[in-house]
Amino acid sequence: MTENAQQQPSAPDTELPTQYAPADVEGRLYERWVERGYFEADEKSDKPPYTIVIPPPNVTGSLHLGHAFEHTLIDALTRRKRMQGFETLWQPGMDHAGIATQNVVERELGKEGKSRHDLGREAFVERVWQWKGESGGQISGQMRRLGDGVAWSRERFTMDEGLSQAVQTIFKRLYDDELIYRAERIINWCPRCLTAISDIEVEYQDDDGELVSLKYGEGEETVVVATTRAETMLGDTAVAVHPDDERYKHLVGKQIKLPLTDRTIPVVADEHVDPEFGTGAVKVTPAHDPNDFEIGQRHNLPAITVMDEHAVITVHGPFQGLDRFEARSAIVAALRAEGRIVAEKRPYVHSVGHCSRCKTTIEPRLSMQWWVKVGPLAKAAGDAVREGKVKIHPQEMEKRYFDWVDNLHDWCISRQLWWGHRIPVWYGPEGEVVCVGPDEQPPSGEGWRQDTDVLDTWFSSGLWPFSTLGWPEQTESLAKFYPNSVLVTGYDILFFWVARMMMFGLYAMDGTPPFHTIALHGMVRDQFGKKMSKSFGNAVNPLDWMDKYGSDALRFTLARGANPGVDVPIGEDWVQGSRNFANKIWNATRFALMNGATVDGPLPDASKMSATDRWILSRLNSVVAEVDAFYEDFQFAKLSDALFHFAWDEVFDWYVELSKTTFQAGGEAAEVSKRVLGEVLDVTLRLLHPVVPFVTETLWTTLTGGESIVIADWPKDSAFRDTAAEREIETLQSVITEVRRFRADQGLQPGQRVPARLTLDGTALAPHEAAIRQLLRLQPEGESFTATATLPVGGAEVALDLSGTIDVAAERKRLAKDLAAAEKEKAQATAKLGNEAFLAKAPDNVVDKIRGRLAKADEDIARIQAQLDRLPDA
C-alpha cells in the first residue's frame, strides 16, 4: 500500500443524491483507487499470495464484450481475495500481436503509397514502435472504465526488454535440449500476409466450391480421384488406395499417367485412405496437403511445390503465372477437353480455412520452418492434470484438454514477419548454425547473418505467467507470486494458449505448473444465443452500454450469466435490469441513512431483537456462506443471483418495509433495528462489491465512514442462525402475499385502504399486526364493519370489508365474462385433443401447444371461480 493509501480520508458525505449517476462517480473513484495503491502487490508482504494474470489483449485491440466478461470475473475474484487478506496480484499487460500489428502499420504505410520494403526492416520496426506509443493500447483506458483492479505499475508488454530476454532464454534452452529444430513441413500459409500462421489464426467457414472427379491413367490402369483443389494436381506424386481394397490391388506398385503433364506417378497402398469414401482412391500432393505430406513421408515420395508464396502457379507452362483460383478454372477446362472429367458438382459447400486477420483463403504449403518438439512437453502438461497438480474447472473440460495435449503435433513457431521476437539463430558462410542466448555475443564477420523469421506470438505469451514476474532472473516477485493461483480464460483457447503455458511453465520452472486451477468460461452471445459479429449486425460495443447504464450494470449482467464453461447470452434489456438493481441498492441505502441506520458499536444482543431483526441476520449469514461456496466453485451466475434475490427481495422488499413500522414507533426497538439495518447493508454491500464496485464504494463509505470498501474485510459467516425467526417471517410473508394477491384479484388499487379485522391471537403473527396493516393498507374496523370476505391464512384470519370499495355487481359481471371466455377456450382445446384425425396429422409441437392452452384454461377457471366465491352478495 502506498503512503497515500494510509492517509485518512476526508469525512464522508452524510447524504446521498436522490439519484445514482454512474458517470459522476466511476472515473473519480477509479483514479482514487489507483492513486492510493489499492491494486498494487508487495512481494515482501507476509500475506498469502493470490495471483492471476490477465490474458494479454492485443496491442491493436479495443474492449469488446468478451474482454468485459472475462475481466469482470477476474476482477471479482481478485477484489474478494484482497478483502480476505491475501496479497493479491492481478498482472496486467499486452501482447505485441505480430501479424495483427504488422498489418495495421502496413495499412498506414499504404495510405502513404509505401510498403514496409520501402522502409527496410529496421526502419519499419521503428515505425511499429512509434505506432504502439501513439495509438496502441487504447484498451488500457477502457479497462479503467470497466473498473479492472490491476497492478498498473507492473504492466508488461511481450516485446519489452525483460520479456524479450525471457523469450531468448527459453529458445536457447529448448534448442540446446534438442526440443527446437528446423525442418521442411506443411504449414498454414497466408498468401496475403506472406507468413505461416498458427491453427488458432485460421477461421473455418463453409464456402461454395466445386468437387471435380478426375480420371488418371489409361485403360485398365485407370483410377478416378475427386478434389476441391484441382490446381494442386500439378504437384501430385502418387495415387493412394487402401491396402485391403480389392478394386485396386492390381494397380498397387504400378505407374499411371498424370494428366496434363509428361509425368507418371505410382499407385501406393496406405492405411490412411478410407475405402468407403468416394472412389476409395485419393490423389497425393505432399507439398500442398498435410495428410498427403505424411503419406509422402511413409512412401518416400517427392514433394513438388507448384505455387509460390503469393499462391501463383510456378510450374507447367500453360498455367504458369496464374493465380491459384484462375489456374483452377483453367486446369478443369483443360482436363475437360481431354475427357478426363468424370463428374463435377457445383456448388459444393465445404469447410475452408481463412486467415483470421485478412480473410484470405489459407494455402497448405511445404516450407522450411522452426518447430518445437512437443512430445515430452505435452506429456508433462497432460500428467500435471492427471496427477492433480492442476485442476480444470469445470471438470468435464478435462477430456477436451487430454484429447488435445495427448495428440499434439510439433508446433511451428516461425513467422515470416518483421514485427516480433526475431529468432536468435545465426548462419555462417560455411553452413554454420549458432543459437545465441541473451548473455552471449552473436557471431560476426563476413557472411554471417541472422535468421529473418520471428517467433509465433503464442511462443512469448506462453511464458506469460513467469516472464511477467522477472524470469529468468530469480526475483522476489517470482518467488512470491509463482505459480499463479488460477487462470481464468475462455474454453476456446484451452488448446492454444493454455496448453503452451502449461508446457513452458513446467519446463522452465522445474516441473512447477504455471497455475493451480484453470477456470474456463464460455463465449458471450446475443440474447438469442447467436454468435456476436459485425457481419451479423448484433455486435455490441460495451462502452456504449457503460455510457448508458453504468459499468456496474454491465458487470452484474455479465456475471449473472456466467455459468462455468457455458456460453453467455446477453441483451440490452438485461443490462437495463441490472441498472435498476443498482438504483434499488442506492435508494434502499439512502432510505436507511435518512432513518438513522448505523454501523456504530457491536450488534445488540439477540434477546433485544425482534423476530424480523433475527430473521434478516440469520438469512444474511446463510447468504455469506452460500456466496463463499459459489466463489470457490467459480459459480458466478449463482452467487450473483443469490445476492440479487437476497438484496432485492429479502432486504429491500421485506426487511426495509417491515422496519418502517418499527422506525415510526420509535423507542428501543427502533434503535435496535437501525443498528441491524446498518449491519445488513454493510455486509450486503461488501458481498456485492467484487461484482459491482462503484456503487458499493459510494454507498459503503457514506454508510460506514470507512476509507474504502476495496480494502474492507470480506464478510464472515458468524454462524448465527435462528430457524424459528425464519419460520415466523416466512409465515408473515405468506399472509401478506396472499392478501395482496386477493386485493389484486378484486381490482383494488395498491394504495387503496380497506377496513379489516385481524384475528392473530395465539399465532406467531400477533406481534406483527402493525406491519401487516401498514403493508396491506388495512384500516382498523369501524362500527359499521361488515366482513364481506374472510381469508384464513397462516393460522390467522383476515376479514375484509369490501363494501363501498368495489362495485360488487360490476365485478361479478366482469368475472363472469372472463369465466365464460376461459370455459370456451377449454371446450375448444378439449375438442381438438379429442379429435383422433387431428392428433394423427398435427405436429407434436402443435399438440403440445394445445395441451398447454387446456392447462391454462383450467387454471384460469379455478382462479376466477375462487374470486367469485370470495365476493360478497351484490
Side-chain angles (χ1 to χ4, degrees), residues 374 377-382 385 392 400-406 408 411 458 461-463 487 489-507 514-515 518 520:
V374 300
L377 302 174
K379 182 181 184 303
V385 175
I392 294 179
R400 298 177 66 178
Y401 176 78
F402 293 137
D403 286 345
W404 181 257
V405 297
D406 293 347
L408 267 180
W411 169 22
W458 296 102
S461 61
L463 314 181
L487 173 75
T489 191
Y491 63 70
D492 58 322
I493 56 174
L494 172 65
F495 317 123
F496 305 103
W497 187 45
V498 178
R500 281 150 173 71
M501 285 190 291
M502 286 285 283
M503 290 191 295
F504 281 166
L506 289 160
Y507 173 79
F515 19 73
I518 301 168
L520 299 170

Side-chain angles (χ1 to χ4, degrees), residues 795-810:
E797 187 176 271
V798 179
L800 303 174
D801 183 355
L802 301 181
S803 57
T805 60
I806 60 172
D807 184 334
V808 176

Side-chain angles (χ1 to χ4, degrees), residues 803-860:
S803 57
T805 60
I806 60 172
D807 184 334
V808 176
E811 186 63 12
R812 280 191 175 277
K813 186 176 180 180
R814 183 184 70 80
L815 289 172
K817 183 178 179 180
D818 290 348
L819 182 62
E823 288 173 337
K824 182 179 180 181
E825 174 72 4
K826 177 179 180 178
Q828 290 175 342
T830 301
K832 283 192 175 182
L833 293 173
N835 185 334
E836 294 296 335
F838 169 77
L839 293 177
K841 295 179 181 179
D844 290 344
N845 65 317
V846 173
V847 175
D848 289 342
K849 187 175 181 180
I850 293 172
R851 288 194 179 116
R853 285 169 49 193
L854 177 60
K856 185 176 184 306
D858 283 333
E859 292 175 5
D860 289 344

Side-chain angles (χ1 to χ4, degrees), residues 508-529:
M509 300 300 293
D510 299 320
T512 302
F515 19 73
H516 297 302
T517 302
I518 301 168
L520 299 170
H521 58 72
M523 305 295 103
V524 179
R525 297 181 176 271
D526 71 13
Q527 64 197 81
F528 306 108

Side-chain angles (χ1 to χ4, degrees), residues 428-742:
E430 303 300 326
E432 303 97 328
V433 179
V434 177
C435 181
V436 177
D439 299 322
E440 300 171 352
Q441 286 295 322
S444 59
E446 187 175 349
W448 282 94
R449 60 184 177 82
Q450 186 178 358
D451 196 298
T452 57
D453 288 353
V454 300
L455 287 164
D456 177 14
T457 297
W458 296 102
F459 191 94
S460 51
S461 61
L463 314 181
W464 193 247
F466 52 94
S467 64
T468 51
L469 297 172
W471 187 91
E473 302 298 325
Q474 297 304 306
T475 64
E476 289 182 298
S477 289
L478 189 64
K480 177 74 173 180
F481 296 113
Y482 187 91
N484 293 184
S485 305
V486 61
L487 173 75
V488 179
T489 191
Y491 63 70
D492 58 322
I493 56 174
L494 172 65
F495 317 123
F496 305 103
W497 187 45
V498 178
R500 281 150 173 71
M501 285 190 291
M502 286 285 283
M503 290 191 295
F504 281 166
L506 289 160
Y507 173 79
M509 300 300 293
D510 299 320
T512 302
F515 19 73
H516 297 302
T517 302
I518 301 168
L520 299 170
H521 58 72
M523 305 295 103
V524 179
R525 297 181 176 271
D526 71 13
Q527 64 197 81
F528 306 108
K530 189 174 182 179
K531 180 181 177 181
M532 285 192 172
S533 166
K534 290 181 180 177
S535 60
F536 294 155
N538 62 350
V540 173
N541 183 344
L543 296 172
D544 293 340
W545 281 352
M546 286 193 280
D547 288 341
K548 195 170 183 180
Y549 303 111
S551 299
D552 285 334
L554 177 64
R555 290 171 59 115
F556 193 73
T557 304
L558 291 166
R560 204 173 176 192
N563 290 297
V566 178
D567 288 347
V568 183
I570 185 172
E572 185 170 1
D573 288 351
W574 306 342
V575 185
Q576 186 174 357
S578 295
R579 189 271 312 273
N580 295 343
F581 178 52
N583 288 343
K584 186 81 169 181
I585 302 170
W586 183 272
N587 292 333
T589 306
R590 187 168 177 271
F591 164 84
L593 289 168
M594 291 171 62
N595 283 274
T598 179
V599 296
D600 295 336
L603 279 171
D605 189 82
S607 62
K608 296 182 179 180
M609 296 180 189
S610 67
T612 309
D613 294 332
R614 297 194 307 276
W615 159 72
I616 197 63
L617 289 175
S618 181
R619 286 293 305 126
L620 177 67
N621 281 287
S622 294
V623 169
V624 170
E626 191 177 6
V627 168
D628 275 335
F630 286 144
Y631 262 114
E632 295 306 313
D633 200 34
F634 304 101
Q635 297 282 358
F636 296 98
K638 291 182 178 179
L639 72 88
S640 299
D641 211 48
L643 286 170
F644 174 86
H645 288 293
F646 174 71
W648 191 305
D649 299 344
E650 298 184 79
V651 178
F652 306 149
D653 279 359
W654 283 107
Y655 183 70
V656 167
E657 291 301 314
L658 289 169
S659 298
K660 287 179 179 178
T661 307
T662 307
F663 292 156
Q664 288 171 0
E668 184 180 2
E671 295 306 311
V672 170
S673 289
K674 289 175 184 178
R675 179 63 188 89
V676 170
L677 179 55
E679 180 76 10
V680 170
L681 287 174
D682 171 20
V683 173
T684 301
L685 291 170
R686 283 185 280 147
L687 288 173
L688 283 165
H689 173 71
V691 182
V692 284
F694 294 108
V695 68
T696 52
E697 168 81 341
T698 305
L699 296 175
W700 187 85
T701 52
T702 304
L703 173 70
T704 68
E707 179 181 340
S708 173
I709 197 171
V710 176
I711 54 173
D713 290 337
W714 180 253
K716 294 181 179 178
D717 176 9
S718 71
F720 175 81
R721 301 290 191 277
D722 192 325
T723 54
E726 288 192 36
R727 286 195 299 271
E728 182 174 326
I729 301 306
E730 284 171 7
T731 302
L732 174 61
Q733 289 172 329
S734 67
V735 169
I736 293 172
T737 301
E738 182 63 27
V739 176
R740 279 176 173 167
R741 184 181 297 117
F742 175 75

